[in-house]
Amino acid sequence: MSFITRGFSGRRRERDPRLPPGQTLVGDWPVLSAGPTPRIADDGWEFAIGTENGVHRWSRTELEALGVEDITVDIHCVTHWTKLDMAWRGVSLDRLFAGIETSHRFAMVHSFGGYTTNVALDDLLGGKSWIAFEADGAPLTPEHGGPARLLVPHLYFWKSAKWVQGLITMPADKPGFWEQNGYHLHGDPWREERYG
Ligand SMILES: Nc1nc2c(c(=O)[nH]1)N[C@H]1C(S)=C(S)[C@@H](COP(=O)(O)O)O[C@H]1N2
Ligand SMILES: [Mo]
């Protein structure tokens, strides 16, 4: 008797283990910007880190001289899309912080246009974040944050500030733009830290 025939309707397609809870795969790369896209000349761009001990600045050339890395990571937007296996090129925040002394544990990231987002230094350092100039083999388009954006792939993508300009370290955590508007202070997609 085979009335207990299993598998006739097919096994449910297995969920990709790289997909955090509540996320859906996309093949394209959606654009999500809170305001207009700023146009920034490549040669006018520089990056700054401010701490209680002073300000450090790098031109694009100086930054790339610290060491450019190619990394392949998945990105997860709080609006439920995930894009797997994106190839990025950028400079690790570890390289920028190598010469910096601070007692601060947090940072506010600032972008051209006024966008801000808070990130703990523990989430920026240790091979976890980059200043990225290229994605999938091409320079970042203005819509996706070109000439440079922060890339913090282990947190929801709103932490990956487009048109990034610099960061200022802080002794205590403080909400940035979306965090003031209800998003979680930390934003770990694996724990579904969507809203605060
Ligand atoms: N400067 C700036 N950075 C930003 C945003 C923004 O509005 N302004 N949006 C954030 C959000 S909510 C997401 S999901 C991603 C979207 O990046 P993308 O448009 O390249 O997909 O950028 C993040 N970084
Ligand atoms: Mo987002």
Side-chain angles (χ1 to χ4, degrees):
M1 299 290 284
S2 60
F3 61 92
I4 314 182
T5 308
R6 290 186 192 273
F8 219 76
S9 55
R11 281 181 73 174
R12 260 188 76 193
R13 241 186 87 201
E14 257 165 53
R15 200 181 147 82
D16 194 306
R18 293 173 297 173
L19 205 50
Q23 296 294 107
T24 310
L25 286 179
V26 292
D28 60 338
W29 186 6
V31 171
L32 280 107
S33 303
T37 295
R39 306 283 156 168
I40 303 148
D42 281 10
D43 55 4
W45 183 88
E46 59 173 25
F47 190 79
I49 294 181
T51 72
E52 75 274 34
N53 298 313
V55 181
H56 303 247
R57 286 176 200 284
W58 297 265
S59 67
R60 166 87 179 248
T61 312
E62 289 165 342
L63 207 96
E64 287 181 322
L66 298 176
V68 175
E69 295 172 23
D70 288 301
I71 49 165
T72 300
V73 290
D74 308 329
I75 59 174
H76 313 289
C77 177
V78 70
T79 62
H80 300 275
W81 57 265
T82 283
K83 190 166 166 54
L84 298 176
D85 283 334
M86 285 195 80
W88 294 82
R89 172 168 282 191
V91 178
S92 166
L93 267 284
D94 293 325
R95 311 251 182 176
L96 282 83
F97 270 91
I100 288 182
E101 284 207 16
T102 177
S103 63
H104 293 166
R105 304 277 319 279
F106 299 92
M108 189 65 75
V109 182
H110 291 262
S111 294
F112 292 90
Y115 186 84
T116 57
T117 188
N118 57 298
V119 188
L121 293 195
D122 277 349
D123 284 310
L124 288 177
L125 304 178
K128 290 182 185 165
S129 78
W130 294 265
I131 304 297
F133 301 103
E134 290 183 24
D136 289 339
L140 283 173
T141 60
E143 290 73 22
H144 286 300
R149 78 183 295 165
L150 183 66
L151 174 66
V152 197
H154 74 289
L155 299 178
Y156 281 124
F157 207 35
W158 87 76
K159 298 287 187 182
S160 295
K162 304 197 273 191
W163 317 297
V164 72
Q165 208 174 10
L167 61 85
I168 299 171
T169 62
M170 316 186 281
D173 208 2
K174 212 170 68 172
F177 173 76
W178 278 122
E179 296 84 3
Q180 285 171 44
N181 287 282
Y183 283 6
H184 198 280
L185 273 179
H186 184 226
D188 180 347
W190 295 97
R191 299 161 76 174
E192 285 212 82
E193 293 173 343
R194 296 178 194 273
Y195 309 105

